[in-house]
Amino acid sequence: MQPYELTLAAAADAVHARRLSPVELVDSVLDRIEKVEPHLGAYVTLTAEQARRAAREAEHEVAHGRCRGPLHGIPMGLKDLIDVAGMATTASSRVRADHRATADSTVAARLSAAGAILLGKTHTHEFAFGLTTPQTRNAWDHGKVAGGSSGGSAVAVASGTATFALGTDTGGSIRVPAALNGVVGLKPTYGLVPRHGVTSLSWSLDHVGPITRTVQDATLVLTALAGHDPRDPASLSVPAMHYQPGAGTDLTGLRIGLPRTYYFDNVHPHVESAVRHAIGQLEALGAHLVEVDIPMTRYIQATQWGLMVPEAGAYHENTLRTVPELYQEDVRILLEAAELMSAGDYIRAQRARTLMRAEWARILEDVDVIAAPSVPMTAAGADQETVTWPDGTIEAVSDAYVRLNAPANITGLPALTVPVGHDPAGMPIGMQLLGPPLGEPTLLRIGHAYEQTQPTRELATVA
């Protein structure tokens, strides 16, 4: 096994036991980038020389007993919305081609303090306003979409060109690409991970979280990221904690909600079969399945768009009026649509969110988590605009991908996607676990328990 193939946890063990040096690890990942990045387009910017210097410094520190923790010497990618002092933060847009960050974002500073080594910035759908990331190709099939908007981060992790990466999630933008590329994605509770220094799409829906190869890896990254920062007005005043995935596979006593409505409507049969099989395996580990009805389903997508579009429009108001030609057409149209929405529309969306939060809180009194598909279908073709369901319904690809993810953004609930197999064409399928506010320990415990019962996952085969 080459070093770039190691999970974060395995690489950390090897580095700290001095069986593997950070220099060897970083060189292996950079060699992998040189080989496969031309086929994938995961990165906007590479910082290879800086990464090599940081690896030498980490090697010296570890050799002299100054280990900063499990992320020390581990190579990572950051979505190109996340500020790093002195580096461009372009949001994969010509609008910000000349932007340079003057200070680190909170998450970048925390990862740096933990000793993680930055390889570069990964592509996003422009300003995170999309679910495909057109610049980047799926790690399993270059003719398929990577998912978005954190497509670059997910593809980097899936292909071995980053040991872990950060993404952002406003309507599924961590979970969609993670599911489509066969890796783990965690959208934390709203406010658990600070967003200071992260370019916003929609202030009340934005989250920052890890994309990793395993659930155990996600726990290590979340431990480094979580904690209050007063510079983010939404940051929760909760004490930092050391997240643990759980040591075993016994889920006795846990109640898992199985949706009767919404989450299995208009879902591809291969996806439904794989997710139901995975839920059955959770039951075999001792969990008790409880059927639940998802509340206010007819309002979910309208509420998501009713919140996101006006907030995005407000953020981009000045540049949309001065340099509209610099936006990609799909994003520009959405931002122009924001100017047609009334204050009443936005207020009604806010009221609907309040009601949804209350209804979801009621459901989560009766179950510990809800298990469902992460996305209703595997990766669409790069030029595919719509999907036709068996009942004749025609749905835009972007609407299909956001549909099952929006509830967790509207409510701010934590959600974890884990790989649960592949369709007959070899494309990954993901299962989503949703929990109560600050329910990350339970999500991680369940995801890790499931993961331990499965064969070791391979990296994507990149042509």
Side-chain angles (χ1 to χ4, degrees):
M1 176 178 286
Q2 298 299 312
Y4 73 80
E5 299 177 87
L6 295 171
T7 66
L8 192 166
D13 287 345
V15 166
H16 301 147
R18 300 180 65 184
R19 299 190 305 271
L20 174 69
S21 80
V23 171
E24 292 170 328
L25 177 57
V26 167
D27 282 345
S28 178
V29 176
L30 289 173
D31 287 345
R32 177 69 169 170
I33 290 173
E34 184 176 359
K35 179 181 178 182
V36 305
E37 174 61 12
H39 303 290
L40 297 174
Y43 283 92
V44 182
T45 306
L46 286 168
T47 54
E49 291 311 309
Q50 296 95 314
R52 288 190 175 99
R53 286 198 299 271
R56 291 193 291 269
E57 293 172 5
E59 182 177 64
H60 182 267
E61 289 179 336
V62 171
H64 288 80
R66 298 195 297 274
C67 180
R68 303 192 212 172
L71 303 189
H72 200 177
I74 305 298
M76 65 170 179
L78 295 179
K79 186 176 182 178
D80 195 27
L81 301 178
I82 298 171
D83 281 353
V84 175
M87 286 186 65
T89 306
T90 73
S92 293
S93 176
R94 293 179 298 168
V95 174
R96 300 190 73 182
D98 298 326
H99 175 82
R100 293 290 183 279
T102 58
D104 282 345
S105 59
T106 302
V107 290
R110 288 178 177 178
L111 292 175
S112 178
I117 295 174
L118 179 63
L119 299 166
K121 295 288 194 72
T122 57
H123 265 302
T124 172
H125 201 119
E126 185 178 37
F127 283 106
F129 212 165
L131 275 297
T132 60
T133 316
Q135 312 92 322
T136 305
R137 292 165 287 285
N138 190 284
W140 293 85
D141 183 338
H142 304 164
K144 305 282 189 180
V145 298
S149 61
S150 307
S153 290
V155 168
V157 174
S159 64
T161 60
T163 304
F164 75 93
L166 292 196
T168 65
D169 194 311
T170 304
S173 290
I174 286 172
R175 291 160 288 155
V176 171
L180 298 186
N181 288 278
V183 291
V184 171
L186 174 64
K187 183 199 79 64
T189 301
Y190 182 73
L192 180 63
V193 175
R195 302 165 304 170
H196 173 73
V198 179
T199 303
S200 179
L201 171 60
S202 173
W203 296 288
S204 70
L205 299 170
D206 292 339
H207 303 68
V208 179
I211 296 176
T212 60
R213 291 185 204 148
T214 70
V215 175
Q216 183 180 13
D217 291 355
T219 68
L220 299 175
V221 181
L222 181 63
T223 295
L225 297 177
H228 180 62
D229 181 352
R231 295 172 297 179
D232 177 357
S235 181
L236 296 176
S237 295
V238 294
M241 67 177 292
H242 185 74
Y243 291 90
Q244 296 282 357
T249 60
D250 185 4
L251 300 181
T252 301
L254 285 176
R255 302 160 300 166
I256 294 181
L258 180 61
R260 276 188 291 244
T261 55
Y262 194 70
Y263 277 99
F264 289 100
D265 297 340
N266 283 342
V267 169
H268 194 281
H270 295 308
V271 172
E272 179 171 357
S273 176
V275 172
R276 288 193 184 277
H277 179 71
I279 293 171
Q281 290 180 292
L282 297 179
E283 185 179 28
L285 296 177
H288 176 58
L289 302 187
V290 180
E291 289 192 334
V292 297
D293 290 312
I294 303 303
M296 301 180 65
T297 57
R298 63 181 292 191
Y299 301 108
I300 288 172
Q301 286 184 280
T303 301
Q304 172 74 19
W305 291 103
L307 296 167
M308 181 171 64
V309 174
E311 290 180 1
Y315 185 89
H316 289 273
E317 182 176 11
N318 290 334
T319 48
L320 184 63
R321 293 179 179 178
T322 56
V323 288
E325 70 280 0
L326 296 184
Y327 288 93
Q328 296 297 318
E329 183 179 11
D330 63 328
V331 172
R332 178 177 54 78
I333 289 171
L334 287 169
L335 292 174
E336 288 173 344
E339 300 199 344
L340 302 177
M341 298 183 71
S342 70
D345 293 331
Y346 183 63
I347 290 169
R348 280 185 284 274
Q350 293 278 17
R351 292 178 65 190
R353 170 163 54 192
T354 300
L355 295 173
M356 283 185 197
R357 282 175 170 166
E359 288 298 306
W360 276 81
R362 180 185 58 78
I363 291 173
L364 289 166
E365 290 176 355
D366 298 325
V367 297
D368 298 294
V369 301
I370 292 171
S374 300
V375 287
M377 61 185 188
T378 54
D383 297 322
Q384 182 179 343
E385 295 182 356
T386 63
V387 56
T388 302
W389 298 107
D391 65 359
T393 301
I394 298 175
E395 187 175 28
V397 167
S398 58
D399 287 343
Y401 286 147
V402 77
R403 171 161 45 94
L404 304 187
N405 287 275
N409 293 95
I410 294 169
T411 59
L413 298 175
L416 174 74
T417 180
V418 295
V420 293
H422 296 78
D423 69 10
M427 300 308 295
I429 296 169
M431 174 177 67
Q432 183 176 194
L433 301 171
L434 301 94
L438 302 178
E440 282 81 358
T442 301
L443 297 184
L444 295 166
R445 175 189 168 191
I446 295 171
H448 184 59
Y450 170 79
E451 201 169 61
Q452 288 180 280
T453 68
Q454 303 304 300
T456 301
R457 290 194 294 271
E458 302 290 334
L459 290 177
T461 301
V462 181

